[in-house]
């Protein structure tokens, strides 16, 4: 039986156990996934935590995604480039870090919209924006990132994108895809109104992505034509299933996880 977990602090609201255990159930394995609260002061004891919980692999969430890297033996190239790890494979004493937010986002995006060269506008420049930027850079897309503060860009490890301020957005040329990587919309705020972004930036052909998954359809996504938008749920599920593949070499049952997730959030948005 495999034992897996997510470590973070606080950790009580994580959906990762629901997603992974739904997958284990669908795959018919006795594997188990739990949430372990690891206070920032305890991160230096990560190897003891792995041993005492018998972990075969684990996910890493806020606030440990960057600091965990100092405790690993190897870090994969994309994770190194964005400076954050969300998945660790445990092989005896050897710990290897990956970032499946990058691959999970890319799988979700390409499966929803198809892969082709596009002009991408990312709104926000935090942790999730780093993963989304790396994914689109790997796709060969042209990426512009709009932040509210220029200092935010010093955290990006590479500069294969155009950096602008959110206040510059009204003067930009049209983009094929606009992605919200900020939390604006979680409380039903209207992103365009909050950030004074003109509606004219969105045409009937523009694709919209919001990394928020609750509410299911943010006010931002309401500006896009039917079938032209994606919320954060496919990314959430794909990053989890990519972690499962790294740990076990097997493909996850995305359809079964989707069903379980939808039953869980039904009526909550
Ligand atoms: P983060 O590191 O705190 O970054 C948030 C970014 O949003 C920062 O650049 C911040 O700007 C900007 N921002 C926040 N409020 C703003 C406002 N009112 N106006 C302009 N910019 C604003 O957070 P994160 O980890 O990237 O997460 C961001 C969102 O993505 C959250 O809603 C999270 O739930 C979601 N997410 C979803 C998934 C998924 O699997 N679907 C995965 C990861 C994250 P400043 O730097 O100026 O503060």
């Amino acid at each position: 039986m495999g034992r897996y977990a997510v470590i973070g602090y606080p950790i009580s609201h994580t959906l990762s156990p629901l997603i992974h255990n739904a997958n284990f159930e669908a795959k018919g394995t006795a594997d188990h996934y739990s949430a372990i609260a690891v206070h920032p002061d305890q991160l230096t004891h990560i190897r003891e935590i792995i041993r005492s919980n018998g972990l075969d692999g684990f996910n890493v969430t806020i606030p440990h995604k960057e600091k965990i890297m100092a405790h690993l033996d190897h870090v994969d190239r994309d994770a190194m480039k964005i400076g954050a790890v969300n998945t660790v494979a445990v092989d005896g004493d050897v710990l290897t870090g990956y970032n499946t937010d990058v691959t999970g986002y890319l799988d979700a995006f390409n499966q929803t919209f198809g892969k082709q060269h596009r002009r991408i506008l990312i709104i926000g420049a935090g942790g999730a924006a780093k993963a989304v930027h790396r994914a689109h850079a790997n796709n060969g897309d042209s990426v512009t990132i709009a932040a509210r503060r220029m200092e935010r860009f010093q955290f990006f490890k590479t500069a294969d994108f155009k950096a602008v301020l959110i206040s510059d957005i009204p003067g930009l040329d049209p983009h094929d895809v606009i992605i919200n990587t900020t939390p604006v919309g979680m409380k039903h705020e209207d992103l365009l109104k909050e950030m004074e972004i003109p509606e004219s930036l969105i045409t009937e052909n523009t694709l919209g992505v919001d990394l928020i998954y609750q509410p299911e359809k943010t006010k931002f996504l309401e500006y896009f034509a039917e079938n032209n938008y994606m919320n954060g749920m496919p990314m959430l599920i794909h990053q989890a299933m990519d972690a499962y593949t790294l740990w076990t070499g097997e493909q996850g049952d995305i359809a079964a996880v989707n069903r379980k997730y939808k039953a869980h959030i039904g009526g909550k948005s």
Side-chain angles (χ1 to χ4, degrees):
M1 177 176 106
R3 286 186 176 276
Y4 305 93
V6 55
I7 65 159
Y9 196 86
I11 198 71
S12 52
H13 295 300
T14 180
L15 287 169
S16 292
L18 176 106
I19 291 172
H20 281 281
N21 288 323
N23 179 52
F24 294 151
E25 196 181 315
K27 302 290 286 185
T29 74
D31 297 346
H32 187 70
Y33 189 105
S34 57
I36 304 175
V38 174
H39 188 275
D41 296 344
Q42 289 178 295
L43 197 61
T44 49
H45 303 298
I46 188 65
R47 286 176 193 264
E48 285 153 55
I49 294 168
I50 294 167
R51 262 194 298 277
S52 60
N53 287 280
L55 296 180
D56 299 292
F58 60 99
N59 288 123
V60 183
T61 189
I62 291 169
H64 303 316
K65 283 186 178 184
E66 293 169 4
K67 296 223 164 68
I68 189 73
M69 293 174 75
H71 303 283
L72 305 177
D73 301 291
H74 307 289
V75 176
D76 137 281
R77 203 174 50 124
D78 276 345
M80 193 63 96
K81 273 187 182 162
I82 66 172
V85 157
N86 81 327
T87 299
V88 176
V90 178
D91 183 6
D93 287 336
V94 180
L95 305 182
T96 306
Y98 302 88
N99 196 306
T100 66
D101 282 337
V102 178
T103 55
Y105 171 83
L106 201 53
D107 292 346
F109 183 90
N110 287 343
Q111 281 180 24
T112 305
F113 299 125
K115 184 177 169 180
Q116 55 176 274
H117 180 269
R118 292 187 174 97
R119 292 158 302 172
I120 309 289
L121 174 61
I122 298 174
I123 300 174
K130 287 183 196 166
V132 170
H133 156 251
R134 179 62 13 226
H136 281 292
N138 288 355
N139 238 6
D141 294 324
S142 308
V143 180
T144 299
I145 303 180
R148 77 175 151 187
R149 299 179 290 131
M150 269 300 172
E151 306 92 87
R152 261 301 190 177
F153 293 114
Q154 70 191 334
F155 295 106
F156 283 80
K157 301 285 179 213
T158 57
D160 46 355
F161 62 90
K162 184 176 165 193
V164 300
L165 289 173
I166 287 173
S167 52
D168 296 330
I169 291 177
L172 294 179
D173 290 336
H175 285 78
D176 304 308
V177 186
I178 305 177
I179 305 161
N180 175 33
T181 70
T182 78
V184 178
M186 289 178 86
K187 294 179 184 150
H188 304 279
E189 311 96 308
D190 183 323
L191 180 94
L192 297 199
K193 291 198 169 74
E194 291 267 327
M195 299 191 186
E196 298 180 359
I197 298 171
E199 274 182 53
S200 56
L201 213 66
I202 299 169
T203 71
E204 59 183 342
N205 297 319
T206 315
L207 303 179
V209 178
D210 203 324
L211 297 198
I212 294 170
Y213 41 86
Q214 260 176 295
E216 259 190 286
K217 190 172 181 183
T218 55
K219 290 213 163 63
F220 171 62
L221 292 184
E222 284 173 9
Y223 286 99
F224 297 86
E226 207 50 45
N227 301 321
N228 272 7
Y229 62 85
M230 176 178 94
N231 73 8
M233 202 243 306
M235 174 183 178
L236 183 73
I237 292 177
H238 277 275
Q239 63 77 24
M241 294 302 95
D242 285 355
Y244 172 72
T245 301
L246 285 168
W247 295 327
T248 65
E250 298 208 13
Q251 297 297 314
D253 189 335
I254 288 180
V257 174
N258 261 316
R259 282 194 299 277
K260 186 79 171 193
Y261 178 86
K262 286 198 168 132
H264 173 78
I265 66 151
K268 283 193 182 173
S269 59

